[in-house]
Amino acid sequence: MLRQSSCCCDSFGFRPCLVASKTKNAFSCYMDLKDKNKLLPFVSSRSLKQPQLNRNPVLACRASRGSHVIPVGKDDLPIHGVAEVIVGVLGGGQLGRMLCQAASQMAIKVMVLDPQENCPASKLAYHHMVGSFDDSATVQEFAKRCGVLTVEIEHVDVETLEKLELQGVDCQPKPSTIRIIQDKYLQKVHFSQHDIPLPEFMQIDDLEGAKRAGDLFGYPLMIKSKRLAYDGRGNAVAKSEDELSSAVTALGGFDRGLYVEKWAPFVKELAVIVARGRDNSILCYPAVETIHKENICHIVKAPANMSWKIRELATDIASRAVSSLEGAGVFAVELFLTKDDQILLNEVAPRPHNSGHHTIESCYTSQYEQHLRAVVGLPLGDPSMRTPAAIMYNLLGEDEGEPGFHLAHQLIARALCIPGATVHWYDKPEMRKQRKMGHITIVGPSMGNVEKLLDSMLNEESSESQSAVAPRVGIVMGSDSDLPVMKDAAKVLNMFGVPNEVRIVSAHRTPELMYSYALSARERGIQVIIAGAGGAAHLPGMVAALTPLPVIGVPVRASTLDGVDSLLSIVQMPRGVPVATVAVNNATNAGLLAVRMLGVCDADLLSRMSQYQEDTRNEVLTKAEKLQKDGWESYLNP
């Protein structure tokens, strides 16, 4: 008989997991009870290292279409851990290493197959099998030891994966997806068939074909290898017809398999990490901007600085691209943003990616945990950011050998002095120029803040890094005559430790300065603007019309009307241009209101505001007690 295990949770979308009873039946063909080495494809992690004495063998659970199940142990005992499926990873580089780090937090066992004995993942993996991930016999042997196979590099033996899949081995993402991704021309054809916007492209087989492509697309012309191309390798640019021959030669000739793309006049390179579950559910991480150095991803800014409309468009295209593929896991979708606000897909990686390194520190669920959740069949995690801004800086080799290590360690030493910075070192034994040796992630309250911290790290200003903090509140006024009032806002912000800046920005005398200030404030890290409203009081409203940031107007008492005109001007802003306000000349309250706004997402500030309220309450109680005790005459004449 087969009975349903109570440990499988329907709320997670799992199908019932079946456990073998003591009576042999027709389903025992999954496993010969006399030969425990035939346990396929899912095995308990304990079975690899512990003897199976006096234990009932576990029947391997096979996922039904559209779902996934986790095997259970002896006598329906609950599973003590997130999953007992052993995850096999083809490749043991830095991506495999970070997969192992994420797996350790969830007690998921990860085995890696990599030809290098001291590969980055080797010291952290549950088991490291030394061997080539593009050798058929080795991959087949490796698959016998794993419950699910996945990849950290797409350049694997896909024919073997297809054979293993036919034998019932669980591969995620599917071999069909990896086959499409491996061939960049086939990838372009696939996405064009699914109406994904792309740069125009065509296959070329000889020099005449390349010339026809040049006539059709114009120059510069991007020439690419179909296979084994990454980090800029396999790409060449021909700026004219005369350069076609040399570009083709640089790529290894037409026999290697080439195609061309029309040059994409992009203004930014973007990326979206997309997670796909076994139930075909899709979750997208916020779009990021990627900055490349010699065609290698060097800096990632999260989130990308662009309009909400463009973010939504990038996310939609990335989601549709991944939905057209098969299998579970994390996918990196690289995109171009053109000057006319078009989004074009560049290429897709069926695995974790450079552009998602920052998620370890900046998101509720890192891309590595998410990939494991997806391939094992657990619910996908929250991909949203838990910090307002993050920058990932790739540590690329600057020199060969020991000199290169020395330079890298100098940068790491400076990074360790940066608030909000986290160092990831991949422990690669050899240093080479442009080799990815590690990365540094910096998180902070704004992009302006983290960019300033990165700049201080790169420019060897670690001793001053603590003060290298971008202002969070901007205090602006139309004239220095407002400064005696507006200084009180700065005093309050200083008391709470909130970085701020004070500027004279006249809406009438220097409108261009006011305009540029309002437009650049968010990008520089400003989160709240306090604007003094003297005389005609146009400044708060004009600033509020130009920035999405909250604006607090302070009516400043003028020589006539006692500031009432300024107050009325602020409260009569047109619909769609909100400006908060305080009492006339009460910049103190404007500073306190700014602190409370920032405190919504800053637990330390919120706590300090609570303490401020308690201190002011105690101050009043002390005064009341003194008045009651001494009488009003002594109170007034101490």
Side-chain angles (χ1 to χ4, degrees):
M1 295 291 292
L2 291 171
R3 62 184 184 279
Q4 179 174 320
S5 166
S6 61
C7 76
C8 294
C9 180
D10 290 337
S11 64
F12 283 174
F14 296 154
R15 298 287 180 85
C17 186
L18 303 177
V19 181
S21 68
K22 296 181 180 179
T23 305
K24 190 170 183 179
N25 53 68
F27 287 92
S28 63
C29 62
Y30 277 94
M31 181 180 70
D32 185 343
L33 300 183
K34 296 179 182 180
D35 183 2
K36 297 171 186 175
N37 290 328
K38 293 183 180 179
L39 183 59
L40 290 173
F42 295 111
V43 296
S44 167
S45 58
R46 291 182 291 251
S47 67
L48 290 181
K49 288 196 172 182
Q50 298 179 7
Q52 301 293 315
L53 300 177
N54 300 318
R55 294 180 58 200
N56 290 334
V58 180
L59 181 63
C61 297
R62 293 181 181 270
S64 58
R65 184 180 299 272
S67 67
H68 184 56
V69 289
I70 298 177
V72 297
K74 176 185 176 183
D75 297 327
D76 294 340
L77 292 176
I79 297 173
H80 296 291
V82 175
E84 287 202 347
V85 173
I86 294 179
V87 179
V89 180
L90 300 181
Q94 63 265 21
L95 302 179
R97 179 185 180 89
M98 287 180 274
L99 279 171
C100 291
Q101 289 171 332
S104 68
Q105 296 174 315
M106 300 188 290
I108 293 177
K109 292 178 172 57
V110 172
M111 296 176 60
V112 298
L113 173 63
D114 194 275
Q116 293 187 346
E117 291 188 14
N118 54 355
C119 65
S122 61
K123 297 180 179 64
L124 303 180
Y126 170 63
H127 179 69
H128 170 210
M129 181 173 172
V130 179
S132 175
F133 41 72
D134 58 6
D135 178 77
S136 180
T138 303
V139 172
Q140 291 185 64
E141 180 61 31
F142 180 72
K144 294 177 183 178
R145 310 184 185 187
C146 309
V148 58
L149 275 182
T150 189
V151 300
E152 64 114 52
I153 182 171
E154 55 268 33
H155 303 297
V156 296
D157 181 6
V158 71
E159 288 80 8
T160 297
L161 293 183
E162 290 171 336
K163 292 177 183 177
L164 290 171
E165 186 179 40
L166 292 175
Q167 297 169 12
V169 174
D170 187 12
C171 301
Q172 302 294 337
K174 297 297 184 182
S176 60
T177 290
I178 296 175
R179 178 175 286 282
I180 291 170
I181 298 299
Q182 279 185 345
D183 187 317
K184 289 190 175 183
Y185 177 75
L186 183 60
Q187 185 182 150
K188 290 289 193 297
V189 170
H190 170 86
F191 289 130
S192 67
Q193 292 172 344
H194 287 82
D195 297 323
I196 305 298
L198 303 161
E200 295 181 66
F201 67 97
M202 65 181 289
Q203 180 172 307
I204 54 173
D205 300 313
D206 50 37
L207 191 57
E208 289 304 313
K211 290 179 180 179
R212 286 194 298 271
D215 293 338
L216 180 63
F217 296 150
Y219 295 90
L221 187 67
M222 176 63 76
I223 308 176
K224 293 186 174 183
S225 300
K226 292 182 179 180
R227 302 179 64 84
L228 298 175
Y230 60 95
D231 287 343
R233 300 179 181 92
N235 296 346
V237 177
K239 298 179 181 179
S240 66
E241 183 176 307
D242 293 338
E243 295 184 8
L244 285 174
S245 181
S246 59
V248 168
T249 301
L251 294 176
F254 290 102
D255 291 341
R256 183 174 176 180
L258 303 178
Y259 74 102
V260 297
E261 287 183 7
K262 184 177 181 179
W263 184 262
F266 62 87
V267 293
K268 285 185 180 180
E269 292 186 80
L270 308 175
V272 178
I273 299 294
V274 181
R276 177 173 175 159
R278 283 179 173 265
D279 59 354
N280 296 324
S281 59
I282 294 284
L283 286 178
C284 295
Y285 286 78
V288 301
E289 179 182 355
T290 60
I291 300 171
H292 292 72
K293 179 180 180 181
E294 297 184 23
N295 295 311
I296 299 176
C297 181
H298 192 217
I299 293 175
V300 173
K301 297 181 179 182
N305 180 26
M306 55 190 181
S307 70
W308 177 257
K309 181 180 179 181
I310 297 300
R311 287 190 193 184
E312 288 293 285
L313 179 59
T315 301
D316 175 67
I317 290 172
S319 176
R320 289 195 288 117
V322 172
S323 296
S324 73
L325 301 170
E326 292 186 300
V330 157
F331 299 78
V333 182
E334 298 182 3
L335 306 160
F336 294 132
L337 171 63
T338 66
K339 58 185 178 182
D340 56 351
D341 288 343
Q342 290 188 62
I343 296 290
L344 303 176
L345 186 144
N346 180 22
E347 58 186 61
V348 175
R351 53 170 172 77
H353 191 260
N354 278 304
S355 58
H357 285 342
H358 69 93
T359 61
I360 300 174
E361 283 77 33
S362 69
C363 294
Y364 289 104
T365 307
S366 77
Q367 67 165 341
Y368 300 100
E369 178 183 334
Q370 195 78 287
H371 189 73
L372 292 167
R373 283 174 175 248
V375 301
V376 168
L378 297 171
L380 297 180
D382 183 359
S384 59
M385 294 185 68
R386 57 183 178 184
T387 183
I391 279 185
M392 187 283 296
Y393 179 84
N394 238 344
L395 283 167
L396 304 176
E398 295 185 43
D399 204 344
E400 303 287 333
E402 287 304 314
F405 279 115
H406 178 69
L407 291 172
H409 292 159
Q410 282 184 324
L411 186 58
I412 289 172
R414 295 198 296 272
L416 293 174
C417 298
I418 298 290
T422 303
V423 174
H424 296 262
W425 184 248
Y426 304 151
D427 200 23
K428 294 183 178 180
E430 296 180 8
M431 170 70 73
R432 297 194 298 270
K433 282 188 176 182
Q434 294 301 104
R435 190 182 194 191
K436 298 169 186 173
M437 302 301 295
H439 74 267
I440 297 167
T441 300
I442 306 175
V443 300
S446 68
M447 185 55 66
N449 177 273
V450 294
E451 284 180 329
K452 194 168 184 178
L453 291 172
L454 176 64
D455 185 62
S456 70
M457 180 185 78
L458 297 179
N459 290 299
E460 304 184 26
E461 298 172 2
S462 57
S463 60
E464 302 176 7
S465 62
Q466 291 293 336
S467 62
V469 179
R472 300 178 68 183
V473 178
I475 302 172
V476 295
M477 64 205 78
S479 169
D480 61 350
S481 62
D482 298 336
L483 186 56
V485 172
M486 300 302 293
K487 73 179 189 316
D488 292 337
K491 287 181 177 179
V492 169
L493 295 170
N494 291 339
M495 180 177 67
F496 281 89
V498 177
N500 60 88
E501 64 183 17
V502 181
R503 299 285 186 270
I504 295 176
V505 181
S506 173
H508 300 101
R509 299 179 183 89
T510 57
E512 71 287 344
L513 181 60
M514 180 273 298
Y515 184 84
S516 63
Y517 183 90
L519 291 181
S520 67
R522 180 187 178 194
E523 187 176 344
R524 293 186 299 106
I526 299 293
Q527 295 170 284
V528 180
I529 295 176
I530 300 174
H538 290 156
L539 182 60
M542 294 181 73
V543 170
L546 293 168
T547 178
L549 300 175
V551 176
I552 304 169
V554 179
V556 177
R557 182 176 289 115
S559 57
T560 57
L561 301 179
D562 288 331
V564 175
D565 55 338
S566 298
L567 176 61
L568 293 176
S569 177
I570 294 173
V571 298
Q572 294 186 84
M573 289 297 152
R575 286 183 178 87
V577 186
V579 179
T581 190
V582 292
V584 175
N585 274 17
N586 199 340
T588 295
N589 270 6
L592 292 171
L593 183 55
V595 172
R596 291 190 178 197
M597 289 177 173
L598 296 174
V600 171
C601 298
D602 190 324
D604 180 66
L605 272 185
L606 203 60
S607 178
R608 294 177 72 168
M609 176 55 71
S610 296
Q611 184 63 53
Y612 171 82
Q613 291 177 295
E614 184 178 342
D615 290 344
T616 55
R617 174 180 178 275
N618 291 337
E619 183 180 348
V620 171
L621 291 176
T622 299
K623 291 178 179 180
E625 183 180 355
K626 179 177 175 57
L627 176 61
Q628 184 177 4
K629 178 181 178 182
D630 299 342
W632 65 270
E633 291 178 325
S634 297
Y635 187 91
L636 292 175
N637 301 290

